[in-house]
Amino acid sequence: MLTKFETKSARVKGLSFHPKRPWVLASLHNGVIQLWDYRMCTLIDKFDEHDGPVRGIDFHKQQPLFVSGGDDYKIKVWNYKLRRCLFTLLGHLDYIRTTFFHHDYPWILSASDDQTIRIWNWQSRTCVCVLTGHNHYVMCAQFHPSEDLVVSASLDQTVRVWDISGLRKKNLSPGAVETDVRGISGVDLFGASDAVVKHVLEGHDRGVNWAAFHPTMPLIVSGADDRQVKIWRMNESKAWELDTCRGHYNNVSCAVFHPRQELILSNSEDKSIRVWDMSKRTGVQTFRRDHDRFWVLGAHPNLNLFAAGHDSGMIVFKLERERPAYAVHGNMLYYVKDRFLRQLDFNSSKDTAVMQLRSGSKFPVFSMSYNPAENAVLLCTRATNLENSTYDLYSIPKESDSQNPDAPEGKRSSGLTAVWVARNRFAVLDRMHSLLIRT
């Protein structure tokens, strides 16, 4: 895990990445909303109008807006260009846990401890729908990224999926007045609602704190006070539990799907963030803090970036380094990809596998040094515990079949990093941080 940026503040209860700018919003337990530039590591602005903790926060995808929801029962819509709150939506009777914008329609979705979920039209500034059915605090509610669905998580131990297609038809039929639409469809005749429960997912033994849809597949992930992360699958007619990831040893506060890989990230009051392999249901990485419980996770919509909020601030991080180990000589770029050393000719744009690297290290190759005189490479691997780092010396085969490249024997030795310094000598920085010259 690579931490890109870290803040010190009051407890962070909500997070939202801006889709295009290098910004992240953090809503705090002390009532302040902070706007950070995570590339420059600076606080751009702060918004301080809520009375008490702010739990819900979300950037709008296109407009210069964000929405927040707090323990003062208020939902506020802000314009960050004008640097002020535009209006406040009132109606909830208890703490508001999450607030999200719809990706297309002018809607806001809010979940509250008053056991309801509400959908608001932020253009007309009215509540257009109240979803009732949970019988305990609703901890989280989110729109589906592409379909007319909502998923919610509650301390009543259930996750619910709601069909809101009726609401879209009623509110967004072109050119029709609302009364006409009702007359035609007979919506009120049989008491059919704008939003109906489609699935009730039961399986957690304690209250559920978070639920989220997969960006592309018909899957849901949930995290609960029973310390489990569950994966659910659904189709038109039913929904069922696929699997459980066990490993956290306190309440799971948040769980999200990785936008582009078969991974789930979860965080917990056990002071850890865990990364799970979706196909194997096993933990891949665990990141721990000494004193801070984690409360919320956010994934950037299109970059490989995540944010996590904890008791004393937040961190913005990547799961792995994206830049491969590489070296350039003349018109050739040598780089490591999927256990192969590859070579790209800048002139012909021909990209070939030159040789296969020996496996055995669970860490990716971090850096590389190329020696044109001996046609040899040094490949350095950086371990989590730096003292266990190693480097390999390989001679590149003269002729190679790129379909089935050779796998020459490399010589491995321990050292933090190694580079060529002469035709037949290289320098190694060892674990004691002394510099050795080897032949």
Side-chain angles (χ1 to χ4, degrees), residues 89-231:
L89 299 169
L90 299 171
H92 278 298
L93 307 170
D94 208 334
Y95 295 176
I96 294 163
R97 295 283 174 173
T98 60
T99 49
F100 289 104
F101 281 110
H102 193 275
H103 48 91
D104 286 333
Y105 310 142
W107 290 350
I108 288 166
L109 180 69
S110 57
S112 166
D113 285 6
D114 66 12
Q115 307 186 10
T116 70
I117 300 152
R118 286 173 181 253
I119 299 175
W120 312 75
N121 183 318
W122 55 263
Q123 286 175 344
S124 64
R125 306 183 185 185
T126 54
C127 177
V128 291
C129 188
V130 182
L131 284 65
T132 56
H134 281 297
N135 48 36
H136 207 310
Y137 301 167
V138 187
M139 301 299 283
C140 168
Q142 303 201 52
F143 287 116
H144 190 280
S146 57
E147 295 171 42
D148 287 324
L149 297 173
V150 162
V151 66
S152 60
S154 164
L155 293 192
D156 64 13
Q157 306 183 11
T158 68
V159 172
R160 287 171 187 249
V161 179
W162 311 74
D163 180 346
I164 56 166
S165 52
L167 188 67
R168 178 177 56 97
K169 293 188 181 88
K170 182 181 119 181
N171 279 280
L172 300 161
S173 62
V177 188
E178 198 167 302
T179 48
D180 302 348
V181 182
R182 288 199 167 176
I184 297 161
S185 60
V187 173
D188 287 345
L189 201 56
F190 302 107
S193 159
D194 305 328
V196 290
V197 176
K198 197 174 165 78
H199 311 298
V200 179
L201 309 179
E202 295 176 309
H204 282 293
D205 309 332
R206 306 273 297 275
V208 190
N209 294 315
W210 199 265
F213 287 113
H214 191 279
T216 52
M217 300 198 294
L219 299 174
I220 291 168
V221 65
S222 60
D225 287 350
D226 59 9
R227 307 172 183 190
Q228 295 177 356
V229 175
K230 287 190 186 285
I231 308 167

Side-chain angles (χ1 to χ4, degrees), residues 382 385-387 389 414-417 428-436:
R382 190 167 289 183
N385 176 2
L386 281 178
E387 299 189 345
S389 302
S414 73
L416 303 184
T417 189
V428 179
L429 184 66
D430 73 2
R431 62 176 72 165
M432 308 308 292
H433 288 90
S434 19
L435 205 56
L436 314 172

Side-chain angles (χ1 to χ4, degrees), residues 4 28 38 41 48 57-58 81 86-87 95 132 140 150 159 178 186 205 225 256 297 302 307 313 330 395 401 429:
K4 309 294 273 182
L28 310 185
Y38 54 77
C41 306
D48 186 4
I57 194 86
D58 191 33
K81 282 190 178 162
L86 300 179
F87 55 90
Y95 295 176
T132 56
C140 168
V150 162
V159 172
E178 198 167 302
D205 309 332
D225 287 350
V256 296
L297 271 172
N302 32 39
S395 288
D401 167 17
L429 184 66

Side-chain angles (χ1 to χ4, degrees), residues 32-100:
V32 176
I33 299 165
Q34 296 178 327
L35 174 59
W36 292 91
D37 182 316
Y38 54 77
R39 280 205 307 222
M40 302 297 288
C41 306
T42 50
L43 180 65
I44 299 173
D45 215 335
K46 56 186 223 265
F47 306 90
D48 186 4
E49 276 185 37
H50 276 287
D51 205 9
V54 187
R55 299 172 195 274
I57 194 86
D58 191 33
F59 269 119
H60 194 276
K61 302 283 176 286
Q62 287 91 24
Q63 311 280 345
L65 303 176
F66 66 89
V67 60
S68 62
D71 285 9
D72 53 7
Y73 313 174
K74 290 175 182 167
I75 296 168
K76 288 182 174 285
V77 174
W78 310 74
N79 182 314
Y80 56 73
K81 282 190 178 162
L82 302 176
R83 302 180 62 182
R84 66 184 181 88
C85 173
L86 300 179
F87 55 90
T88 302
L89 299 169
L90 299 171
H92 278 298
L93 307 170
D94 208 334
Y95 295 176
I96 294 163
R97 295 283 174 173
T98 60
T99 49
F100 289 104

Side-chain angles (χ1 to χ4, degrees), residues 18-37:
H18 193 281
K20 299 187 181 64
R21 304 188 185 197
W23 292 351
V24 62
L25 277 167
S27 60
L28 310 185
H29 198 258
N30 65 4
V32 176
I33 299 165
Q34 296 178 327
L35 174 59
W36 292 91
D37 182 316

Side-chain angles (χ1 to χ4, degrees), residues 159-422:
V159 172
R160 287 171 187 249
V161 179
W162 311 74
D163 180 346
I164 56 166
S165 52
L167 188 67
R168 178 177 56 97
K169 293 188 181 88
K170 182 181 119 181
N171 279 280
L172 300 161
S173 62
V177 188
E178 198 167 302
T179 48
D180 302 348
V181 182
R182 288 199 167 176
I184 297 161
S185 60
V187 173
D188 287 345
L189 201 56
F190 302 107
S193 159
D194 305 328
V196 290
V197 176
K198 197 174 165 78
H199 311 298
V200 179
L201 309 179
E202 295 176 309
H204 282 293
D205 309 332
R206 306 273 297 275
V208 190
N209 294 315
W210 199 265
F213 287 113
H214 191 279
T216 52
M217 300 198 294
L219 299 174
I220 291 168
V221 65
S222 60
D225 287 350
D226 59 9
R227 307 172 183 190
Q228 295 177 356
V229 175
K230 287 190 186 285
I231 308 167
W232 314 78
R233 194 174 181 101
M234 58 180 181
N235 59 23
E236 267 309 301
S237 54
K238 63 181 196 292
W240 62 99
E241 187 180 324
L242 266 189
D243 238 306
T244 303
C245 302
R246 294 179 176 86
H248 280 295
Y249 46 94
N250 206 332
N251 303 346
V252 179
S253 46
C254 194
V256 296
F257 288 106
H258 190 295
R260 283 166 303 283
Q261 293 176 35
E262 294 277 297
L263 297 172
I264 288 169
L265 285 85
S266 62
N267 66 9
S268 158
E269 294 178 47
D270 67 9
K271 307 180 176 68
S272 78
I273 298 174
R274 287 173 186 255
V275 184
W276 311 85
D277 182 316
M278 261 170 71
S279 47
K280 300 193 185 74
R281 280 72 182 181
T282 52
V284 188
Q285 281 173 291
T286 302
F287 173 77
R288 287 193 175 83
R289 281 187 82 87
D290 295 337
H291 310 294
D292 299 313
R293 297 164 297 176
F294 281 104
W295 298 105
V296 65
L297 271 172
H300 194 286
N302 32 39
L303 298 174
N304 177 24
L305 274 179
F306 299 90
H310 54 76
D311 279 338
S312 56
M314 67 158 176
I315 49 175
V316 175
F317 62 95
K318 287 186 170 189
L319 291 186
E320 72 270 307
R321 195 163 179 256
E322 293 160 305
R323 184 181 306 156
Y326 72 95
V328 178
H329 176 68
N331 289 322
M332 290 293 188
L333 167 72
Y334 292 94
Y335 68 101
V336 175
K337 183 181 179 187
D338 305 331
R339 308 243 52 97
F340 288 98
L341 177 70
R342 302 184 66 89
Q343 135 186 337
L344 170 70
D345 186 330
F346 290 143
N347 293 338
S348 63
S349 298
K350 197 169 151 206
D351 188 343
T352 51
V354 183
M355 67 178 189
Q356 192 172 346
L357 309 177
R358 77 169 191 183
S359 53
S361 171
K362 61 178 192 289
F363 302 105
V365 176
F366 186 81
S367 66
M368 161 167 141
S369 180
Y370 174 67
N371 178 346
E374 301 280 339
N375 201 26
V377 284
L378 291 162
L379 302 178
C380 310
T381 301
R382 190 167 289 183
T384 317
N385 176 2
L386 281 178
E387 299 189 345
N388 299 336
S389 302
T390 58
Y391 67 91
D392 292 333
L393 167 60
Y394 286 100
S395 288
I396 299 175
K398 295 272 185 296
E399 296 296 316
S400 69
D401 167 17
S402 74
Q403 296 307 311
N404 191 15
D406 291 345
E409 274 300 302
K411 296 188 176 68
R412 179 167 291 178
S413 188
S414 73
L416 303 184
T417 189
V419 290
W420 295 103
V421 289

